[in-house]
Amino acid sequence: MLSGIQPTADSFHFGNYLGALRQWVALQDDHDAFYCVVDLHAITVEYEPKALRERTRRSAAQLLAAGIDPERSTLFVQSQVPEHAQLAWALSCITGMGEASRMTQFKDKTAKGGADRATVGLFTYPILQAADILIYQADRVPVGEDQRQHVELTRDLAQRFNHRFGKTFRLPEAHIVKATAKIFDLQDPTAKMSKSSSSPAGIIDLLDEPKASAKKIRSAVTDSGRDVVFDVENKPGVANLLTIYSALTGRKISELEDEYAGRGYGDFKKDLADVVVEFVTPFREKALSYLDDPAQLDAILAAGAERARAVTAPTLAKVYDRLGF
Ligand code: ADP
Ligand code: NA
């Protein structure tokens, strides 16, 4: 099983954690899991090399702090495993232009700036993603609904390669992660919490000062009522806070509704602020301790890359042989 996350911010936010990283941690026990900081993907848009290097390290430190265990999972940085890019080139030579043009995420991502100003790398990004998956012969790819089309492309390319050059790749299944909490912006609870959100008060970053995160919870937009009930339509702000509360404590939403019945939003937000502080304080300390010890972090990532290459190098050798190299 393989999953990747882009190092495009200094800190992951609660949406990333509750919607993705937490599942990664849960999946590592029952799977031979490969978790990857996908820095090759991060250069498809404008970026600063210095910031990328820093963010890659910070991302890895946060994955470790979240509970990815380098003994039980293979945690690595994509650019340290060159077979990803090598396979991507081979796959790009069996991908049709029309086929690549149908990827809706490229259209979404370039809707504002226009496709003419986008890079070819952004256009062929789904092919690199296909390589990320196929180079591990992965069976399962835990992805959100928005990535389903890319997994379909991956299957098509694997099938085409096998048909043309002989059976080489296993066909992966998209494991659409249901039951993951979708977290909304604290200031605009109809929009998803995102690093590109306009208001920093709407996002809780995992590496924020715990006090600052508590304040963001206490200032979260709710509504003029006082009933703590889960009603996404009419009370999106309260519903979002209930989702976060439930996800962090493992308590049922109905149980939380009962506990706060008749008590108003003040108590509810204050308690949730405490819950958030209790979560982020040790998380942040752990992540920062990895960042304070660069040699240890480098060693973990180097060992991860080496383990990854034990899988990717034989796959690539087979691919090259099939291609006539
Ligand atoms: P962002 O929207 O901040 O740019 P990404 O698109 O880089 O975040 O998402 C990285 C991972 O985090 C993906 O698996 C995505 O599904 C998950 N994720 C991002 N935002 C949220 C959110 N608000 N709620 C739940 N999951 C999220
Ligand atoms: Na495992």
Side-chain angles (χ1 to χ4, degrees):
M1 190 195 61
L2 174 104
S3 217
I5 195 156
Q6 285 205 42
T8 41
D10 290 336
S11 173
F12 291 130
H13 56 68
F14 260 43
N16 301 139
Y17 177 72
L18 295 174
L21 305 188
R22 208 168 60 133
Q23 275 64 39
W24 291 17
V25 174
L27 288 165
Q28 68 185 337
D29 287 326
D30 301 334
H31 295 81
D32 187 8
F34 289 80
Y35 294 127
C36 173
V37 179
V38 291
D39 55 349
L40 295 177
H41 286 281
I43 69 168
T44 55
V45 293
E46 261 183 60
Y47 78 103
E48 280 297 324
K50 195 164 170 259
L52 175 64
R53 185 170 294 123
E54 179 64 21
R55 288 171 171 183
T56 298
R57 303 180 66 80
R58 289 171 79 91
S59 298
Q62 289 172 84
L63 293 177
L64 291 163
I68 300 296
D69 173 1
E71 298 296 319
R72 284 182 292 159
S73 300
T74 303
L75 173 66
F76 65 99
V77 174
Q78 188 186 27
S79 61
Q80 294 180 11
V81 181
E83 290 79 9
H84 287 247
Q86 291 175 295
L87 179 60
W89 177 252
L91 294 178
S92 74
C93 296
I94 61 162
T95 308
M97 279 296 289
E99 188 175 35
S101 306
R102 284 192 291 277
M103 296 296 118
T104 56
Q105 238 191 27
F106 178 76
K107 292 179 197 161
D108 295 345
K109 283 186 175 171
T110 54
K112 282 185 207 125
D116 285 349
R117 291 179 53 194
T119 66
V120 172
L122 185 66
F123 180 68
T124 58
Y125 173 119
I127 302 173
L128 178 57
Q129 212 177 25
D132 296 338
I133 298 165
L134 297 179
I135 197 80
Y136 294 97
Q137 303 283 6
D139 297 307
R140 300 233 299 175
V141 192
V143 289
E145 188 56 48
D146 59 332
Q147 293 291 318
R148 190 192 283 275
Q149 197 188 27
H150 294 173
V151 180
E152 282 306 313
L153 175 71
T154 304
R155 288 173 62 88
D156 289 347
L157 293 177
Q159 232 157 355
R160 189 172 310 149
F161 190 101
N162 288 348
H163 187 250
R164 181 148 169 218
F165 300 105
K167 174 109 184 61
T168 307
F169 295 116
R170 221 185 276 214
L171 299 194
E173 298 282 345
H175 167 57
I176 301 297
V177 193
K178 28 171 194 4
T180 59
K182 185 163 178 188
I183 306 301
F184 295 88
D185 190 290
L186 298 177
Q187 291 301 317
D188 173 10
T190 58
K192 102 181 175 108
M193 186 179 287
S194 166
K195 61 177 168 283
S196 40
S197 154
S198 54
S199 155
I203 317 163
I204 297 192
D205 277 337
L206 296 172
L207 297 181
D208 274 349
E209 283 275 359
K211 265 192 217 151
S213 301
K215 186 161 171 234
K216 287 180 185 180
I217 292 287
R218 288 194 307 267
S219 335
V221 164
T222 43
D223 55 69
S224 55
R226 59 185 318 268
D227 295 331
V228 178
V229 291
F230 191 84
D231 177 351
V232 175
E233 190 96 333
N234 301 305
K235 293 169 159 287
V238 175
N240 187 38
L241 295 180
L242 276 166
T243 302
I244 295 172
Y245 203 143
S246 165
L248 289 181
T249 58
R251 297 176 61 193
K252 287 207 188 87
I253 287 188
S254 57
E255 199 185 304
L256 295 169
E257 287 172 329
D258 290 346
E259 179 172 337
Y260 291 98
R263 289 172 57 194
Y265 297 154
D267 271 4
F268 170 62
K269 284 175 157 181
K270 190 178 155 296
D271 289 353
L272 176 56
D274 291 344
V275 165
V276 165
V277 167
E278 227 165 276
F279 169 76
V280 292
T281 304
F283 179 95
R284 187 168 177 271
E285 273 168 21
K286 210 167 158 195
L288 294 180
S289 80
Y290 281 111
L291 292 171
D292 279 345
D293 189 349
Q296 187 201 12
L297 188 55
D298 285 346
I300 291 171
L301 295 174
E306 195 178 325
R307 257 165 72 174
R309 294 199 75 189
V311 179
T312 60
T315 307
L316 190 79
K318 194 167 170 187
V319 167
Y320 269 25
D321 183 56
R322 294 269 151 97
L323 288 171
F325 295 157

Short mmCIF file of all heavy atoms in Angstrom, two decimals, residues 87 90 161 164-169 313-325:
data_model
loop_
_atom_site.label_atom_id
_atom_site.label_comp_id
_atom_site.label_asym_id
_atom_site.label_seq_id
_atom_site.Cartn_x
_atom_site.Cartn_y
_atom_site.Cartn_z
N LEU A 87 10.44 5.61 -14.00
CA LEU A 87 9.24 4.92 -14.49
C LEU A 87 8.25 5.91 -15.09
O LEU A 87 7.59 5.60 -16.09
CB LEU A 87 8.57 4.12 -13.36
CG LEU A 87 7.29 3.39 -13.79
CD1 LEU A 87 7.56 2.39 -14.92
CD2 LEU A 87 6.64 2.67 -12.60
N ALA A 90 8.91 6.37 -18.70
CA ALA A 90 8.47 5.24 -19.51
C ALA A 90 6.95 5.27 -19.68
O ALA A 90 6.42 5.07 -20.78
CB ALA A 90 8.91 3.93 -18.87
N PHE A 161 0.60 -1.35 -20.50
CA PHE A 161 2.00 -1.79 -20.46
C PHE A 161 2.07 -3.32 -20.48
O PHE A 161 2.81 -3.92 -21.26
CB PHE A 161 2.71 -1.23 -19.20
CG PHE A 161 4.20 -1.43 -19.22
CD1 PHE A 161 5.06 -0.38 -19.55
CD2 PHE A 161 4.75 -2.68 -18.92
CE1 PHE A 161 6.44 -0.57 -19.58
CE2 PHE A 161 6.13 -2.86 -18.95
CZ PHE A 161 6.98 -1.81 -19.28
N ARG A 164 1.16 -4.70 -23.89
CA ARG A 164 2.12 -4.44 -24.96
C ARG A 164 3.48 -5.10 -24.72
O ARG A 164 4.13 -5.58 -25.65
CB ARG A 164 2.28 -2.92 -25.08
CG ARG A 164 3.22 -2.53 -26.15
CD ARG A 164 2.86 -1.23 -26.82
NE ARG A 164 4.00 -0.86 -27.66
CZ ARG A 164 4.44 0.36 -27.82
NH1 ARG A 164 3.83 1.36 -27.22
NH2 ARG A 164 5.48 0.59 -28.58
N PHE A 165 3.92 -5.12 -23.46
CA PHE A 165 5.29 -5.57 -23.18
C PHE A 165 5.38 -6.86 -22.37
O PHE A 165 6.46 -7.33 -22.06
CB PHE A 165 6.07 -4.48 -22.45
CG PHE A 165 6.17 -3.19 -23.22
CD1 PHE A 165 5.40 -2.09 -22.87
CD2 PHE A 165 7.03 -3.08 -24.31
CE1 PHE A 165 5.49 -0.90 -23.58
CE2 PHE A 165 7.13 -1.88 -25.03
CZ PHE A 165 6.35 -0.79 -24.66
N GLY A 166 4.24 -7.40 -21.99
CA GLY A 166 4.24 -8.60 -21.15
C GLY A 166 3.93 -8.24 -19.70
O GLY A 166 4.26 -7.14 -19.24
N LYS A 167 3.31 -9.20 -19.01
CA LYS A 167 2.83 -8.93 -17.64
C LYS A 167 3.95 -8.43 -16.73
O LYS A 167 4.95 -9.10 -16.51
CB LYS A 167 2.20 -10.21 -17.08
CG LYS A 167 1.78 -10.16 -15.63
CD LYS A 167 0.26 -10.14 -15.47
CE LYS A 167 -0.18 -9.98 -14.01
NZ LYS A 167 0.27 -8.74 -13.36
N THR A 168 3.78 -7.21 -16.25
CA THR A 168 4.81 -6.56 -15.42
C THR A 168 4.21 -5.98 -14.15
O THR A 168 4.76 -6.14 -13.06
CB THR A 168 5.49 -5.42 -16.23
OG1 THR A 168 5.93 -5.96 -17.48
CG2 THR A 168 6.65 -4.82 -15.46
N PHE A 169 3.07 -5.32 -14.31
CA PHE A 169 2.48 -4.60 -13.17
C PHE A 169 1.23 -5.26 -12.63
O PHE A 169 0.43 -5.80 -13.39
CB PHE A 169 2.10 -3.17 -13.59
CG PHE A 169 3.29 -2.33 -13.95
CD1 PHE A 169 3.44 -1.86 -15.24
CD2 PHE A 169 4.25 -2.02 -13.00
CE1 PHE A 169 4.53 -1.07 -15.59
CE2 PHE A 169 5.34 -1.24 -13.33
CZ PHE A 169 5.48 -0.77 -14.63
N ALA A 313 13.93 -0.81 -7.33
CA ALA A 313 15.01 -1.12 -8.29
C ALA A 313 14.70 -2.39 -9.09
O ALA A 313 14.83 -2.38 -10.32
CB ALA A 313 16.36 -1.20 -7.58
N PRO A 314 14.26 -3.48 -8.45
CA PRO A 314 13.92 -4.66 -9.24
C PRO A 314 12.75 -4.41 -10.20
O PRO A 314 12.76 -4.91 -11.33
CB PRO A 314 13.52 -5.70 -8.19
CG PRO A 314 14.16 -5.23 -6.92
CD PRO A 314 14.22 -3.76 -7.00
N THR A 315 11.76 -3.62 -9.77
CA THR A 315 10.63 -3.33 -10.68
C THR A 315 11.16 -2.57 -11.90
O THR A 315 10.83 -2.90 -13.04
CB THR A 315 9.54 -2.48 -9.99
OG1 THR A 315 9.14 -3.11 -8.79
CG2 THR A 315 8.32 -2.31 -10.90
N LEU A 316 12.00 -1.56 -11.66
CA LEU A 316 12.50 -0.77 -12.78
C LEU A 316 13.38 -1.62 -13.71
O LEU A 316 13.31 -1.48 -14.94
CB LEU A 316 13.27 0.46 -12.31
CG LEU A 316 13.56 1.40 -13.50
CD1 LEU A 316 12.32 2.22 -13.85
CD2 LEU A 316 14.75 2.29 -13.24
N ALA A 317 14.17 -2.50 -13.13
CA ALA A 317 15.03 -3.36 -13.96
C ALA A 317 14.17 -4.20 -14.91
O ALA A 317 14.48 -4.35 -16.09
CB ALA A 317 15.89 -4.25 -13.07
N LYS A 318 13.08 -4.70 -14.38
CA LYS A 318 12.17 -5.51 -15.19
C LYS A 318 11.54 -4.66 -16.30
O LYS A 318 11.46 -5.08 -17.46
CB LYS A 318 11.08 -6.07 -14.26
CG LYS A 318 10.25 -7.17 -14.84
CD LYS A 318 9.47 -7.82 -13.70
CE LYS A 318 8.43 -8.79 -14.21
NZ LYS A 318 7.57 -9.27 -13.12
N VAL A 319 11.12 -3.45 -15.92
CA VAL A 319 10.51 -2.54 -16.89
C VAL A 319 11.51 -2.21 -18.01
O VAL A 319 11.16 -2.29 -19.20
CB VAL A 319 10.05 -1.23 -16.18
CG1 VAL A 319 9.71 -0.14 -17.19
CG2 VAL A 319 8.85 -1.52 -15.28
N TYR A 320 12.73 -1.88 -17.65
CA TYR A 320 13.73 -1.53 -18.65
C TYR A 320 14.00 -2.72 -19.59
O TYR A 320 14.15 -2.56 -20.79
CB TYR A 320 15.04 -1.08 -17.97
CG TYR A 320 15.10 0.41 -17.71
CD1 TYR A 320 13.93 1.17 -17.58
CD2 TYR A 320 16.32 1.08 -17.61
CE1 TYR A 320 13.99 2.54 -17.34
CE2 TYR A 320 16.38 2.45 -17.38
CZ TYR A 320 15.22 3.17 -17.24
OH TYR A 320 15.28 4.52 -17.03
N ASP A 321 14.05 -3.87 -19.00
CA ASP A 321 14.27 -5.06 -19.81
C ASP A 321 13.13 -5.22 -20.82
O ASP A 321 13.35 -5.43 -22.02
CB ASP A 321 14.36 -6.28 -18.88
CG ASP A 321 14.65 -7.54 -19.67
OD1 ASP A 321 15.66 -7.57 -20.40
OD2 ASP A 321 13.84 -8.50 -19.59
N ARG A 322 11.90 -5.07 -20.33
CA ARG A 322 10.73 -5.21 -21.21
C ARG A 322 10.72 -4.17 -22.32
O ARG A 322 10.26 -4.42 -23.43
CB ARG A 322 9.44 -5.06 -20.37
CG ARG A 322 9.23 -6.17 -19.37
CD ARG A 322 8.42 -7.28 -20.00
NE ARG A 322 8.75 -8.58 -19.42
CZ ARG A 322 8.05 -9.17 -18.44
NH1 ARG A 322 7.00 -8.59 -17.94
NH2 ARG A 322 8.40 -10.35 -18.00
N LEU A 323 11.23 -2.95 -21.97
CA LEU A 323 11.19 -1.86 -22.95
C LEU A 323 12.26 -2.01 -24.03
O LEU A 323 12.24 -1.30 -25.04
CB LEU A 323 11.40 -0.52 -22.23
CG LEU A 323 10.23 -0.03 -21.36
CD1 LEU A 323 10.67 1.18 -20.55
CD2 LEU A 323 9.02 0.31 -22.21
N GLY A 324 13.20 -2.92 -23.81
CA GLY A 324 14.26 -3.09 -24.80
C GLY A 324 15.53 -2.34 -24.47
O GLY A 324 16.40 -2.16 -25.32
N PHE A 325 15.67 -1.90 -23.24
CA PHE A 325 16.91 -1.20 -22.82
C PHE A 325 17.96 -2.21 -22.38
O PHE A 325 17.61 -3.27 -21.87
CB PHE A 325 16.63 -0.23 -21.65
CG PHE A 325 15.72 0.91 -21.99
CD1 PHE A 325 15.01 1.56 -20.99
CD2 PHE A 325 15.55 1.36 -23.31
CE1 PHE A 325 14.16 2.62 -21.28
CE2 PHE A 325 14.71 2.42 -23.60
CZ PHE A 325 14.01 3.05 -22.59
#
